Amino acid sequence: MPRLYLIRHGKPAATWGDADQDPGLDETGQAQARAVRDWLLALPKDEQPQRVVSSPLRRCRETAEPTAAALGVAIEVDPIVGEIPTPAALHPNERASWLRQVFQGTWGEIQGDLDYDQWRRDIVGSLRSRGDTAVFSHYVAINAVVSHLLRDEKVLHFGPDHTSITVLETDGTGLTLVAKGREASTGVL
């Protein structure tokens, strides 16, 4: 069955609440991006990704760049694998506290502008057709996929580290979790 690699972006140059709301990678993150590329290219040829998909945010695109360049493919930017949408009325400085609250509950309990349980189903639906693909995404989006596949309603299921690689398989209609990626020793916030 075709493999799909769901990869958290590398270490960003800034964190939530800093002046840059769309930071790129710092030096560590750039090294992590190259390590992901090397790991993917070391796989047996029939397990290597053929496509590269990224969240629109800079930290994901920069993490995806070395892999896309090595494979000789363009990065397909897809907002569906992006960050969890923040409620429009929420000031950017309030996002971290909103996320902390989100992490304590279930997908159906999230307060915001949309149905967040549907948001996670939409991500899963988009991944079903992405066999042989490396998808560069975010902490919460990866939790959305893993929690859905494990039928776990908790938002925070595990703590994927920067450039953690969660392996999935798809037959085009179903999606199966093969292995969760490496977990971080500290929290996201």
Side-chain angles (χ1 to χ4, degrees), residues 82-105:
E83 257 309 352
I84 185 170
T86 304
L90 201 65
H91 188 277
N93 292 342
E94 298 171 311
R95 180 172 166 83
S97 63
W98 177 76
L99 278 173
R100 282 187 201 93
Q101 183 177 5
V102 164
F103 291 165
Q104 301 303 312

Side-chain angles (χ1 to χ4, degrees), residues 25-37:
L25 300 177
D26 68 8
E27 286 184 29
T28 299
Q30 292 168 9
Q32 291 169 330
R34 291 188 298 273
V36 165
R37 172 204 59 206

Side-chain angles (χ1 to χ4, degrees), residues 12-88:
T15 59
W16 291 113
D18 288 345
D20 188 351
Q21 294 300 313
D22 188 14
L25 300 177
D26 68 8
E27 286 184 29
T28 299
Q30 292 168 9
Q32 291 169 330
R34 291 188 298 273
V36 165
R37 172 204 59 206
D38 295 347
W39 187 89
L40 291 169
L41 293 178
L43 291 168
K45 203 69 161 157
D46 63 334
E47 291 181 20
Q48 290 180 11
Q50 304 303 307
R51 297 169 55 197
V52 175
V53 173
S54 175
S55 156
L57 295 179
R58 196 168 139 210
R59 58 192 174 272
C60 284
R61 289 183 286 114
E62 288 183 5
T63 307
E65 284 172 358
T67 300
L71 294 173
V73 299
I75 297 171
E76 301 170 38
V77 175
D78 187 353
I80 196 67
V81 298
E83 257 309 352
I84 185 170
T86 304

Side-chain angles (χ1 to χ4, degrees), residues 71-137:
L71 294 173
V73 299
I75 297 171
E76 301 170 38
V77 175
D78 187 353
I80 196 67
V81 298
E83 257 309 352
I84 185 170
T86 304
L90 201 65
H91 188 277
N93 292 342
E94 298 171 311
R95 180 172 166 83
S97 63
W98 177 76
L99 278 173
R100 282 187 201 93
Q101 183 177 5
V102 164
F103 291 165
Q104 301 303 312
T106 66
W107 290 100
E109 295 170 341
I110 299 175
Q111 299 295 308
D113 302 333
L114 58 115
D115 178 342
Y116 288 94
D117 193 41
Q118 183 61 51
W119 176 76
R120 91 174 163 147
R121 288 192 304 271
D122 290 346
I123 296 170
V124 170
S126 123
L127 295 179
R128 286 187 182 120
S129 64
R130 296 190 186 277
D132 300 320
T133 305
V135 178
F136 294 83
S137 189

